[in-house]
Amino acid sequence: MFTVVEFYSYLMCLTLPVVIGMRGLGRFDRSLKMIWLWMAVTLASELVAGLAGLLFGNNLWVYHLYTPVSFWMIAVYYNHRLPVFRKYRLGYLVGMTGIVVELVDTLHFHAYDQMDSYAIVITSVLGLAMVLLDIGRGLMAERGAMLRNPYVQISLLFGFFWASAALMLGSQIIFSPLQVVAMASLQFLWTVNIAVHVGSGYIFSR
């Protein structure tokens, strides 16, 4: 699906923020440590996916495992960030919802050799809700200084990713017979994922 050069460029973009973040782990709070761990898991999953593609000719099963784990970790991040989530442990509930959605999608709609489109769209909508809550909290608390807040910047990156994922995979579901749409969706999400990780690396380097 991707050339060797594209794949290694992608891995480099995922590796840099992990390495940069590793240097600052001692000064990170629990929420930022969770973001760093999420990026490390993402890097590991892409390495496994690359190996699976070479060995088995299909690596989509890797993403069936990665999607719920990734979503759960980000939901836990928001459990640390949002007071109402922290008070009622809503982040863990939202994260478990993502796991259940993935199981239902895998068992009844998209098997391990297919893209888990429904699960990604639904978790993207749930993720956008958490992003909006965090940004709304930032607006009320900081206003003019909000965009300089690294946590708000992280939410903006997640918002960009989840909005893109919902739009692209929603289009893929609607136009599923068109292979060109599926390929364009995956290429676009690949590019968005690079932007999110490079942006996270920049936030960590400050």
Side-chain angles (χ1 to χ4, degrees):
M1 186 164 58
F2 300 117
T3 67
V4 173
V5 173
E6 286 176 329
F7 180 69
Y8 281 112
S9 299
Y10 181 47
L11 288 182
M12 185 179 297
C13 290
L14 297 186
T15 302
L16 282 175
V18 173
V19 173
I20 293 171
M22 192 180 299
R23 297 171 57 190
L25 276 177
R27 59 183 172 81
F28 290 168
D29 61 14
R30 291 174 65 188
S31 56
L32 284 181
K33 286 178 180 176
M34 181 59 69
I35 292 299
W36 179 86
L37 183 59
W38 165 74
M39 290 193 298
V41 168
T42 300
L43 174 61
S45 72
E46 292 297 346
L47 289 169
V48 172
L51 184 61
L54 288 174
L55 294 177
F56 309 118
N58 188 305
N59 60 7
L60 293 177
W61 61 269
V62 176
Y63 299 104
H64 279 260
L65 298 174
Y66 169 74
T67 297
V69 171
S70 170
F71 184 74
W72 185 85
M73 294 175 75
I74 297 172
V76 171
Y77 163 77
Y78 281 108
N79 195 77
H80 296 318
R81 278 286 301 152
L82 299 170
V84 65
F85 272 43
R86 190 163 57 247
K87 181 177 180 180
Y88 298 106
R89 296 184 174 272
L90 295 179
Y92 296 100
L93 177 61
V94 173
M96 288 303 299
T97 300
I99 293 174
V100 171
V101 166
E102 178 65 44
L103 285 173
V104 172
D105 191 13
T106 300
L107 293 175
H108 297 286
F109 298 102
H110 299 107
Y112 275 109
D113 59 348
Q114 299 174 307
M115 177 66 74
D116 50 341
S117 303
Y118 295 163
I120 294 176
V121 170
I122 292 171
T123 53
S124 294
V125 172
L126 292 172
L128 283 171
M130 292 188 290
V131 164
L132 291 174
L133 283 172
D134 193 37
I135 292 176
R137 177 172 171 265
L139 279 171
M140 290 187 292
E142 300 180 59
R143 297 182 183 176
M146 183 187 73
L147 291 180
R148 294 193 293 271
N149 185 319
Y151 302 98
V152 174
Q153 292 170 354
I154 287 171
S155 278
L156 290 173
L157 288 173
F158 281 144
F160 175 53
F161 174 79
W162 276 322
S164 301
L167 177 62
M168 289 297 99
L169 291 175
S171 300
Q172 184 178 331
I173 291 169
I174 296 171
F175 301 106
S176 56
L178 301 178
Q179 184 66 20
V180 65
V181 175
M183 291 301 298
S185 298
L186 292 176
Q187 286 279 0
F188 182 76
L189 284 179
W190 179 73
T191 305
V192 169
N193 208 22
I194 288 177
V196 169
H197 281 78
V198 169
S200 299
Y202 170 74
I203 292 169
F204 282 166
S205 68
R206 294 168 57 193

